[in-house]
Amino acid sequence: MSVFAVQQAAAAGCSMLFLPECCSFIGSSQPESLSKAEPLDGPAMARYRQLARDTGLWLSLGGFQEAGPDPQHVYNAHVVLDAAGGTAASYRKVHLFDVDVPNGPVLMESRTTAPGDKLVVCDSPAGCLGLTVCYDLRFPEVYQTLTWGMGAEVLLVPSAFTKVTGKAHWEVQLRARAIECQCFVIAAAQAGMHNEKRESFGHALIIDPWGEVIGRLDDPQGTGIAVADLDFDLMAAVRTKMPIKEHRARGRTQLAGQIMC
Protein backbone atom coordinates (compact mmCIF):
# COMPACT_ATOMS: atom_id res chain seq x y z
CA MET A 1 0.00 0.00 0.00
CA SER A 2 2.73 2.53 0.91
CA VAL A 3 4.48 2.32 -2.49
CA PHE A 4 1.14 2.60 -4.32
CA ALA A 5 0.11 5.63 -2.24
CA VAL A 6 3.46 7.35 -2.78
CA GLN A 7 3.19 6.82 -6.52
CA GLN A 8 -0.39 8.17 -6.51
CA ALA A 9 0.64 11.25 -4.54
CA ALA A 10 3.58 11.97 -6.83
CA ALA A 11 1.36 11.63 -9.91
CA ALA A 12 -1.18 14.02 -8.36
CA GLY A 13 1.50 16.68 -7.89
CA CYS A 14 1.47 16.55 -4.10
CA SER A 15 4.38 17.92 -2.09
CA MET A 16 3.79 15.63 0.88
CA LEU A 17 2.04 12.34 1.65
CA PHE A 18 0.61 11.36 5.04
CA LEU A 19 0.38 7.65 5.87
CA PRO A 20 -1.63 6.14 8.76
CA GLU A 21 -0.61 4.51 12.00
CA CYS A 22 0.90 1.03 11.51
CA CYS A 23 1.81 2.02 7.96
CA SER A 24 4.70 -0.44 7.89
CA PHE A 25 3.04 -3.46 9.52
CA ILE A 26 -0.11 -4.65 11.30
CA GLY A 27 0.26 -8.02 12.97
CA SER A 28 -2.25 -10.44 14.43
CA SER A 29 -0.46 -10.56 17.78
CA GLN A 30 1.71 -8.33 19.93
CA PRO A 31 4.73 -10.69 19.73
CA GLU A 32 4.49 -10.52 15.94
CA SER A 33 4.64 -6.72 16.07
CA LEU A 34 7.59 -6.87 18.46
CA SER A 35 9.45 -9.06 16.00
CA LYS A 36 9.25 -6.32 13.35
CA ALA A 37 10.80 -3.59 15.52
CA GLU A 38 13.80 -1.81 14.03
CA PRO A 39 15.82 1.32 14.81
CA LEU A 40 15.08 4.31 12.61
CA ASP A 41 18.31 3.67 10.70
CA GLY A 42 17.25 0.09 9.91
CA PRO A 43 16.35 -1.53 6.57
CA ALA A 44 12.57 -0.92 6.69
CA MET A 45 13.01 2.82 7.20
CA ALA A 46 15.72 2.80 4.53
CA ARG A 47 13.09 1.73 1.99
CA TYR A 48 10.87 4.67 2.95
CA ARG A 49 13.86 6.99 2.69
CA GLN A 50 14.48 5.72 -0.83
CA LEU A 51 10.82 6.24 -1.74
CA ALA A 52 11.10 9.87 -0.63
CA ARG A 53 14.26 10.37 -2.66
CA ASP A 54 12.85 8.64 -5.76
CA THR A 55 9.66 10.73 -5.82
CA GLY A 56 10.78 14.02 -4.25
CA LEU A 57 7.95 13.76 -1.74
CA TRP A 58 8.03 14.48 1.96
CA LEU A 59 6.53 11.53 3.87
CA SER A 60 4.69 11.37 7.18
CA LEU A 61 4.96 7.78 8.40
CA GLY A 62 2.17 7.74 10.93
CA GLY A 63 3.16 4.75 13.01
CA PHE A 64 6.37 2.75 12.75
CA GLN A 65 7.54 -0.05 15.07
CA GLU A 66 10.71 1.58 16.34
CA ALA A 67 12.96 -0.58 18.52
CA GLY A 68 12.11 0.27 22.11
CA PRO A 69 13.95 0.61 25.42
CA ASP A 70 14.01 -3.18 26.00
CA PRO A 71 13.26 -6.36 24.02
CA GLN A 72 9.66 -6.46 25.31
CA HIS A 73 8.63 -3.00 24.06
CA VAL A 74 8.61 -0.93 20.88
CA TYR A 75 7.96 2.77 20.39
CA ASN A 76 4.98 3.70 18.22
CA ALA A 77 6.90 6.28 16.23
CA HIS A 78 5.52 8.94 13.88
CA VAL A 79 8.40 9.83 11.58
CA VAL A 80 8.55 12.66 9.03
CA LEU A 81 11.02 12.26 6.18
CA ASP A 82 12.09 15.10 3.90
CA ALA A 83 12.37 14.81 0.11
CA ALA A 84 16.01 13.77 0.41
CA GLY A 85 15.09 10.89 2.73
CA GLY A 86 16.40 12.57 5.86
CA THR A 87 14.58 12.52 9.19
CA ALA A 88 12.87 15.88 9.65
CA ALA A 89 11.18 14.84 12.91
CA SER A 90 10.30 11.82 15.01
CA TYR A 91 7.58 11.59 17.69
CA ARG A 92 6.90 8.65 19.97
CA LYS A 93 3.23 8.16 20.86
CA VAL A 94 2.57 9.33 24.40
CA HIS A 95 -0.97 8.14 25.16
CA LEU A 96 -1.22 4.36 24.85
CA PHE A 97 -4.51 2.63 24.06
CA ASP A 98 -5.30 0.40 27.06
CA VAL A 99 -9.05 0.05 26.61
CA ASP A 100 -11.82 -2.54 26.84
CA VAL A 101 -13.79 -1.28 23.84
CA PRO A 102 -17.57 -1.56 24.39
CA ASN A 103 -18.86 -4.35 22.11
CA GLY A 104 -15.34 -4.61 20.72
CA PRO A 105 -11.86 -5.92 21.48
CA VAL A 106 -9.73 -5.51 24.59
CA LEU A 107 -6.55 -3.74 23.48
CA MET A 108 -3.59 -3.21 25.82
CA GLU A 109 -0.99 -1.27 23.87
CA SER A 110 1.24 -0.70 26.90
CA ARG A 111 2.02 -4.42 27.16
CA THR A 112 4.41 -4.14 24.24
CA THR A 113 4.74 -0.38 23.62
CA ALA A 114 6.68 2.16 25.67
CA PRO A 115 5.31 5.73 25.79
CA GLY A 116 7.15 8.75 24.49
CA ASP A 117 7.79 11.82 26.63
CA LYS A 118 8.10 14.75 24.23
CA LEU A 119 5.83 16.75 21.92
CA VAL A 120 7.21 17.48 18.46
CA VAL A 121 6.62 20.01 15.67
CA CYS A 122 8.52 20.45 12.42
CA ASP A 123 8.48 22.71 9.38
CA SER A 124 7.53 21.15 6.04
CA PRO A 125 6.21 22.09 2.59
CA ALA A 126 2.72 21.62 4.09
CA GLY A 127 3.33 24.10 6.92
CA CYS A 128 4.44 23.66 10.51
CA LEU A 129 3.34 20.15 11.50
CA GLY A 130 2.26 19.00 14.96
CA LEU A 131 2.87 15.26 15.27
CA THR A 132 0.56 12.92 17.19
CA VAL A 133 -0.73 9.35 16.82
CA CYS A 134 -4.28 7.96 17.09
CA TYR A 135 -5.36 7.82 20.78
CA ASP A 136 -3.59 11.13 21.44
CA LEU A 137 -6.68 12.62 19.75
CA ARG A 138 -8.67 12.27 22.98
CA PHE A 139 -6.35 14.66 24.84
CA PRO A 140 -7.09 18.19 23.53
CA GLU A 141 -4.41 19.82 25.68
CA VAL A 142 -1.80 18.11 23.47
CA TYR A 143 -3.11 19.87 20.38
CA GLN A 144 -3.50 23.21 22.13
CA THR A 145 0.11 23.00 23.28
CA LEU A 146 1.31 22.05 19.80
CA THR A 147 -0.63 24.99 18.34
CA TRP A 148 -0.51 27.87 20.79
CA GLY A 149 2.73 26.89 22.51
CA MET A 150 4.79 25.44 19.67
CA GLY A 151 3.45 27.07 16.51
CA ALA A 152 1.81 24.12 14.71
CA GLU A 153 -0.40 25.01 11.74
CA VAL A 154 -1.25 21.47 10.63
CA LEU A 155 -2.13 18.82 13.21
CA LEU A 156 -1.42 15.24 12.15
CA VAL A 157 -3.50 12.38 13.57
CA PRO A 158 -2.51 9.16 11.78
CA SER A 159 -4.66 6.41 13.19
CA ALA A 160 -5.96 2.86 13.25
CA PHE A 161 -9.20 3.61 15.12
CA THR A 162 -11.39 0.65 16.02
CA LYS A 163 -14.69 0.39 14.17
CA VAL A 164 -16.73 0.96 17.35
CA THR A 165 -14.87 4.03 18.61
CA GLY A 166 -14.45 5.41 15.10
CA LYS A 167 -18.17 5.36 14.37
CA ALA A 168 -18.91 7.13 17.65
CA HIS A 169 -16.09 9.66 17.98
CA TRP A 170 -13.67 9.91 15.01
CA GLU A 171 -14.95 12.79 12.90
CA VAL A 172 -16.41 14.85 15.74
CA GLN A 173 -13.12 14.83 17.64
CA LEU A 174 -11.05 15.67 14.56
CA ARG A 175 -13.30 18.60 13.69
CA ALA A 176 -13.20 19.76 17.31
CA ARG A 177 -9.37 19.81 17.30
CA ALA A 178 -9.41 21.83 14.06
CA ILE A 179 -11.95 24.32 15.41
CA GLU A 180 -10.48 24.87 18.87
CA CYS A 181 -6.92 25.19 17.51
CA GLN A 182 -7.86 26.98 14.26
CA CYS A 183 -5.55 24.58 12.43
CA PHE A 184 -5.70 22.20 9.54
CA VAL A 185 -6.06 18.57 10.62
CA ILE A 186 -4.81 15.69 8.48
CA ALA A 187 -5.96 12.28 9.68
CA ALA A 188 -4.67 9.36 7.61
CA ALA A 189 -6.51 6.21 8.63
CA GLN A 190 -6.21 2.46 8.40
CA ALA A 191 -9.38 0.82 7.05
CA GLY A 192 -11.04 -2.56 6.93
CA MET A 193 -10.17 -6.04 8.16
CA HIS A 194 -6.46 -6.62 8.73
CA ASN A 195 -6.81 -10.12 10.17
CA GLU A 196 -9.33 -12.17 12.11
CA LYS A 197 -8.71 -10.11 15.25
CA ARG A 198 -8.49 -6.54 14.01
CA GLU A 199 -10.62 -4.15 11.97
CA SER A 200 -10.06 -0.40 11.51
CA PHE A 201 -12.68 2.29 10.93
CA GLY A 202 -11.13 4.12 7.99
CA HIS A 203 -12.63 7.49 7.00
CA ALA A 204 -9.37 9.39 6.38
CA LEU A 205 -10.07 13.14 6.55
CA ILE A 206 -8.53 16.54 5.85
CA ILE A 207 -10.17 19.39 7.78
CA ASP A 208 -9.70 23.15 7.57
CA PRO A 209 -9.39 25.63 10.49
CA TRP A 210 -13.13 26.39 10.37
CA GLY A 211 -13.89 22.70 10.90
CA GLU A 212 -14.97 21.97 7.33
CA VAL A 213 -13.96 18.66 5.77
CA ILE A 214 -12.00 19.50 2.61
CA GLY A 215 -10.73 16.04 1.73
CA ARG A 216 -11.96 12.47 2.09
CA LEU A 217 -12.02 9.26 0.06
CA ASP A 218 -15.09 8.47 -2.03
CA ASP A 219 -15.05 5.06 -0.34
CA PRO A 220 -14.22 5.62 3.35
CA GLN A 221 -13.16 1.97 3.66
CA GLY A 222 -11.19 2.00 0.43
CA THR A 223 -7.51 2.16 -0.39
CA GLY A 224 -6.27 5.40 -1.89
CA ILE A 225 -5.41 9.01 -1.17
CA ALA A 226 -7.43 12.15 -0.56
CA VAL A 227 -5.86 15.33 -1.93
CA ALA A 228 -6.36 18.93 -0.76
CA ASP A 229 -4.65 22.30 -1.02
CA LEU A 230 -4.09 23.98 2.35
CA ASP A 231 -5.13 27.64 2.21
CA PHE A 232 -3.11 29.44 4.88
CA ASP A 233 -4.81 32.73 4.00
CA LEU A 234 -8.02 31.09 5.24
CA MET A 235 -6.30 30.11 8.46
CA ALA A 236 -5.08 33.67 8.98
CA ALA A 237 -8.56 35.05 8.30
CA VAL A 238 -10.18 32.64 10.77
CA ARG A 239 -7.66 33.54 13.45
CA THR A 240 -8.05 37.28 12.81
CA LYS A 241 -11.84 37.24 12.98
CA MET A 242 -11.91 35.02 16.06
CA PRO A 243 -8.62 35.61 17.94
CA ILE A 244 -8.70 32.52 20.15
CA LYS A 245 -4.98 32.71 20.93
CA GLU A 246 -5.31 36.17 22.47
CA HIS A 247 -8.57 35.34 24.21
CA ARG A 248 -7.05 32.13 25.57
CA ALA A 249 -4.09 34.05 27.01
CA ARG A 250 -6.44 36.57 28.60
CA GLY A 251 -8.60 33.84 30.11
CA ARG A 252 -5.61 31.97 31.48
CA THR A 253 -4.47 35.16 33.19
CA GLN A 254 -7.88 35.53 34.78
CA LEU A 255 -7.79 31.88 35.91
CA ALA A 256 -4.16 31.84 37.02
CA GLY A 257 -3.45 28.83 39.21
CA GLN A 258 -6.72 27.11 38.24
CA ILE A 259 -5.84 25.77 34.77
CA MET A 260 -3.26 23.02 34.84
CA CYS A 261 -2.59 22.45 31.12
Side-chain angles (χ1 to χ4, degrees):
M1 165 56 191
S2 295
V3 174
F4 173 67
V6 171
Q7 292 170 341
Q8 275 193 308
C14 298
S15 61
M16 187 163 186
L17 175 68
F18 303 86
L19 296 172
E21 185 182 23
C22 305
C23 60
S24 59
F25 180 76
I26 294 183
S28 59
S29 68
Q30 290 178 322
E32 189 177 8
S33 293
L34 277 174
S35 72
K36 301 298 182 181
E38 293 183 9
L40 297 186
D41 59 358
M45 187 60 68
R47 290 191 286 273
Y48 284 107
R49 295 184 193 281
Q50 190 61 51
L51 272 175
R53 288 191 289 269
D54 289 346
T55 59
L57 285 175
W58 281 56
L59 300 178
S60 163
L61 310 177
F64 180 85
Q65 287 91 353
E66 179 189 1
D70 57 63
Q72 287 74 46
H73 294 85
V74 301
Y75 292 114
N76 191 342
H78 181 173
V79 182
V80 174
L81 302 180
D82 64 26
T87 302
S90 177
Y91 162 76
R92 292 167 174 169
K93 184 180 181 184
V94 171
H95 299 96
L96 303 182
F97 192 70
D98 289 354
V99 177
D100 183 350
V101 178
N103 301 311
V106 177
L107 298 171
M108 298 295 293
E109 189 174 16
S110 67
R111 287 176 180 167
T112 53
T113 303
D117 60 4
K118 183 184 295 185
L119 297 180
V120 176
V121 300
C122 76
D123 290 323
S124 80
C128 183
L129 310 176
L131 279 61
T132 71
V133 178
C134 200
Y135 190 54
D136 288 327
L137 178 60
R138 294 184 182 270
F139 303 88
E141 65 274 14
V142 168
Y143 298 87
Q144 292 167 19
T145 299
L146 288 169
T147 302
W148 308 124
M150 301 175 72
E153 301 166 316
V154 182
L155 301 171
L156 307 184
V157 195
S159 297
F161 251 58
T162 70
K163 188 173 181 180
V164 173
T165 58
K167 183 177 180 180
H169 302 144
W170 173 245
E171 183 168 333
V172 68
Q173 287 192 112
L174 290 168
R175 294 181 70 186
R177 298 297 88 81
I179 292 165
E180 68 202 14
C181 294
Q182 298 179 315
C183 278
F184 292 95
V185 170
I186 299 177
Q190 291 282 357
M193 292 295 300
H194 308 296
N195 52 57
E196 68 280 3
K197 297 179 180 179
R198 186 161 180 177
E199 181 178 9
S200 294
F201 179 64
H203 294 257
L205 297 173
I206 306 169
I207 303 168
D208 75 16
W210 191 243
E212 297 290 335
V213 175
I214 59 172
R216 67 167 87 226
L217 296 179
D218 292 334
D219 176 2
Q221 286 287 311
T223 298
I225 63 170
V227 178
D229 291 320
L230 305 188
D231 182 354
F232 290 97
D233 289 338
L234 170 66
M235 186 178 75
V238 167
R239 291 182 173 187
T240 297
K241 293 176 180 178
M242 189 179 294
I244 286 178
K245 182 178 182 179
E246 290 77 8
H247 294 166
R248 180 176 183 269
R250 191 183 308 164
R252 290 169 74 86
T253 298
Q254 290 298 112
L255 297 172
Q258 299 179 59
I259 295 180
M260 304 305 292
C261 66

